[in-house]
Amino acid sequence: MHRLLVFTLIVLATRAPLAAQTSNATLSADLGTIAKLSFSSTTLSFADADPDVLAQVPASGGAVTITAKARASQGQVVVTVLANGNPRSGVNTLPADAFTWTASGAGFVGGTVSATTPQVVGSWTGSGVHVGSQTFQFRNSWSYPVGVYSMTLTYTLTTP
């Protein structure tokens, strides 16, 4: 009798199910707007040069690589730069627009530094990772007072 019971249990365990049941589950991922801006270098310097020999002094160290990452709606993503004022050495100042840049990379544009109006560095539509570079130059002149000048550039990455 004991063998028959074992056999019956094995047969019942190996039989196909008589009915199947399905059920749905909902998955939700809440992705908000996020932006991240990074640079290969955060310092620019320009060597002293004879204005007759070198009218445009390139930044030491070459181009600065910019990486702009944005998760956004389908609107415009923009990187701008604004100087905190004119370059200053003690009481002396130089014009901020003596500094210009050329750009490379899709969506990146050349421009001129301003202490009053944010200048566009790059722009794109929608989400993505954008990598480009800025190569800065300084307009050299005999009329500039002697000194070590500095200013801060503030970059802003905006997303819709």
Side-chain angles (χ1 to χ4, degrees):
M1 179 94 173
H2 183 59
R3 285 186 190 176
L4 182 59
L5 180 59
V6 171
F7 179 75
T8 304
L9 288 176
I10 292 173
V11 170
L12 290 176
T14 59
R15 293 179 75 187
L18 296 177
Q21 180 179 351
T22 60
S23 181
N24 294 328
T26 301
L27 183 138
S28 176
D30 184 5
L31 301 178
T33 301
I34 188 169
K36 184 176 183 181
L37 192 58
S38 60
F39 302 89
S40 61
S41 175
T42 57
T43 303
L44 293 169
S45 61
F46 299 85
D48 189 18
D50 180 337
D52 289 337
V53 175
L54 200 56
Q56 293 287 332
V57 179
S60 302
V64 175
T65 300
I66 302 170
T67 303
K69 299 176 181 180
R71 188 170 60 210
S73 61
Q74 291 303 309
Q76 199 73 9
V77 175
V78 180
V79 175
T80 59
V81 64
L82 178 66
N84 69 331
N86 289 319
R88 178 173 296 282
S89 177
V91 296
N92 296 321
T93 62
L94 302 177
D97 66 4
F99 296 87
T100 61
W101 72 86
T102 57
S104 65
F108 287 86
V109 295
T112 302
V113 174
S114 173
T116 57
T117 305
Q119 301 298 301
V120 174
V121 174
S123 65
W124 311 272
T125 301
S127 298
V129 175
H130 305 279
V131 179
S133 65
Q134 282 184 297
T135 303
F136 282 87
Q137 301 89 29
F138 167 64
R139 185 179 63 242
N140 205 359
S141 173
W142 285 109
S143 65
Y144 296 149
V146 172
V148 177
Y149 292 83
S150 65
M151 71 178 162
T152 300
L153 300 177
T154 301
Y155 287 78
T156 305
L157 173 58
T158 57
T159 60

